[in-house]
Amino acid sequence: MSVRERGGLLRSRDFRLLWTGETTSVLGSSIAVVALPLVAVVTLQASTFAVGLLTAVAWLPWLLIGLPAGAWVDRRPKRPVMLACNTFSMLVFLSVPVAAWSGLLTMTQLLVVALAGGVAKVFFNVAYRAYLPSLVDKEQLQEANEKLQGSESAAQIGGPGLAGLLAHWFGAVSGVLADAVSFGISVLCLRSIRHREPERPAKTRSRLRDEIRDGLDFVVHDPYLRVLAVFGAISNVALMGYQSIEVVFLVRDLGVGEGTAGLVLALVGAGGVFGAALSGKLAARIGTARAFILCEGSGALMMLLGPLANGGWGLAFFVAAGFSLSAGVVGSNVLNATFKQRYVPAEMFGRVTASMSVLGFGAIALGGLLGGILGEIAGVRQTLGLMAGLEVVAVFALLFTPIGRSRDFPAEPRN
């Protein structure tokens, strides 16, 4: 029985469990996004390069295993994969506070934990995006993505603030412990879902290499997916090059305390809730493709204000830039995810998602590394300005693609 037949998304016990588990996990991860750099900066006195490297290694697995992961996930039920990934992540992140309390924590362990967590995230994300279309009707995907992205953004608002408070009260590693606990709650929610994915017709299994090639070919030969993949890669270099050194900028350049840094990043994350709520209304009024470009463009232009921030009331520039950027990115992510879930055939979804994610998320690793290197060489404020400029150029280039010439994303691939 579909979710719609049972009375809608909010009446569906299974969707509520998925929603609760994913939101809780995102809350923990958003705490860890701030807590891990704080542990590196405050506890281990790490350099700007090391902080950027910490971000880079978390996304490196997309480059190393993203393509085979997509093909492998397409062969299997998605919920067991998600359960295994979150159980593994819980244990990996739990090792950080245990090592810290034992006096054994090192920067090497933080890098290993970030890398291992990134491996689990590759498999989880591919499975999660492919699982949602089997849980809800196609007509409800926009609403489902709005709810998931909206609550995830709300969790990201509280996460940085909680990370700052936890660091102030109990030490930075307590935020990493909270992340481990959140993965445990997500596991319990996933185990409680009753829905089981439909059996797929048996077919002769081809070689993994051939299945990977099929996914790549689908993306390369589709004018919309190809553009989204290339744009996503360039944009992610800019966004992660910017975000990977935000904590360094706030704590070292602007001289704000740990709690204030968490509060500022929480205010920045509030834009995501606004963007998720607005995306559907905007798409209905001006079209899905136009709404996508508007979300991306408004966020990119406001991003230019971030490097102008100073201490005191000058932080308002940083908050305004981050709030608008968060709203634009989350709004466009809702539209992008809904488009792909409706557009890509179910049996190809894992491979297509992984093919695009290898380029897009692999670029996040490059952006994190680039942010750390340029932050050391050119300065943190200058690097923020450079990354903002790159994002504006990437969005401007979208206007000259099939997306820029369309009112709406297409409903299905053209033969």
Side-chain angles (χ1 to χ4, degrees):
M1 245 189 198
S2 70
V3 169
R4 178 163 52 87
E5 289 168 341
R6 291 185 204 150
L9 286 176
L10 294 180
R11 294 185 181 180
S12 167
R13 174 182 178 274
D14 287 344
F15 179 77
R16 291 198 308 270
L17 284 167
L18 179 68
W19 192 8
T20 301
E22 181 62 8
T23 301
T24 304
S25 178
V26 170
L27 175 61
S29 296
S30 66
I31 292 173
V33 163
V34 177
L36 279 176
L38 280 177
V39 170
V41 172
V42 177
T43 305
L44 301 178
Q45 303 300 313
S47 66
T48 302
F49 172 75
V51 175
L53 185 61
L54 188 63
T55 299
V57 298
W59 295 96
L60 183 62
W62 281 104
L63 286 174
L64 301 179
I65 62 170
L67 291 175
W72 186 84
V73 167
D74 267 343
R75 294 177 170 185
R76 288 164 174 79
K78 309 304 181 289
R79 193 177 71 101
V81 174
M82 294 158 64
L83 279 167
C85 290
N86 277 357
T87 301
F88 176 76
S89 295
M90 176 183 67
L91 297 175
V92 164
F93 283 98
L94 186 60
S95 73
V96 173
V98 170
W101 295 332
S102 303
L104 301 174
L105 184 64
T106 64
M107 192 64 204
T108 299
Q109 182 179 349
L110 282 187
L111 292 170
V112 171
V113 166
L115 180 65
V119 170
K121 191 171 186 177
V122 169
F123 287 96
F124 181 90
N125 277 11
V126 173
Y128 169 64
R129 296 301 176 191
Y131 182 66
L132 185 61
S134 77
L135 188 67
V136 307
D137 290 341
K138 182 176 287 190
E139 295 79 8
Q140 294 177 308
L141 282 171
Q142 176 75 32
E143 181 187 354
N145 281 310
E146 286 177 12
K147 284 181 166 55
L148 287 165
Q149 290 278 354
S151 62
E152 288 172 12
S153 296
Q156 288 167 351
I157 296 171
L162 283 173
L165 290 175
L166 288 170
H168 180 71
W169 291 336
F170 307 109
V173 293
S174 61
V176 186
L177 175 62
D179 191 25
V181 172
S182 76
F183 280 116
I185 294 172
S186 180
V187 167
L188 293 176
C189 289
L190 287 170
R191 286 182 61 86
S192 301
I193 291 177
R194 294 170 183 163
H195 168 77
R196 296 296 180 267
E197 298 155 76
E199 294 279 342
R200 290 187 179 170
K203 64 177 183 179
T204 303
R205 180 171 291 182
S206 58
R207 291 185 299 177
L208 193 66
R209 183 175 62 186
D210 294 334
E211 294 182 7
I212 292 172
R213 186 184 300 116
D214 289 343
L216 285 170
D217 286 345
F218 194 97
V219 174
V220 169
H221 293 102
D222 186 275
Y224 291 90
L225 296 177
R226 183 173 63 241
V227 167
L228 287 173
V230 174
F231 167 74
I234 298 172
S235 178
N236 282 345
V237 168
L239 294 175
M240 192 50 60
Y242 187 98
Q243 293 173 4
S244 67
I245 56 175
E246 282 181 330
V247 171
V248 178
F249 180 60
L250 291 171
V251 173
R252 290 184 177 166
D253 287 52
L254 302 188
V256 305
E258 297 167 6
T260 303
L263 177 60
V264 167
L265 293 176
L267 292 173
V268 164
V273 179
F274 179 76
L278 185 64
S279 61
K281 298 178 179 64
L282 198 59
R285 181 176 292 272
I286 67 174
T288 53
R290 291 177 182 173
F292 176 83
I293 291 180
L294 182 59
C295 287
E296 290 284 355
S298 59
L301 290 173
M302 289 296 292
M303 190 177 173
L304 294 169
L305 292 178
L308 302 179
N310 289 297
W313 288 105
L315 281 173
F317 285 107
F318 186 88
V319 173
F323 181 94
S324 301
L325 179 62
S326 180
V329 168
V330 171
S332 66
N333 281 348
V334 170
L335 296 165
N336 188 0
T338 303
F339 162 60
K340 288 186 291 188
Q341 287 163 349
R342 290 173 174 169
Y343 184 79
V344 178
E347 67 275 8
M348 293 281 295
F349 195 87
R351 282 166 285 172
V352 169
T353 300
S355 296
M356 298 179 71
S357 296
V358 164
L359 188 59
F361 290 158
I364 291 180
L366 175 61
L369 187 61
L370 191 61
I373 293 173
L374 292 178
E376 289 277 4
I377 296 173
V380 174
R381 189 185 298 272
Q382 291 79 4
T383 300
L384 293 177
L386 181 62
M387 294 298 114
L390 177 61
E391 178 70 2
V392 171
V393 171
V395 175
F396 181 73
L398 272 180
L399 299 175
F400 303 96
T401 70
I403 296 175
R405 295 189 292 269
S406 302
R407 182 186 188 277
D408 290 287
F409 287 117
E412 58 186 22
R414 295 172 183 172
N415 294 326

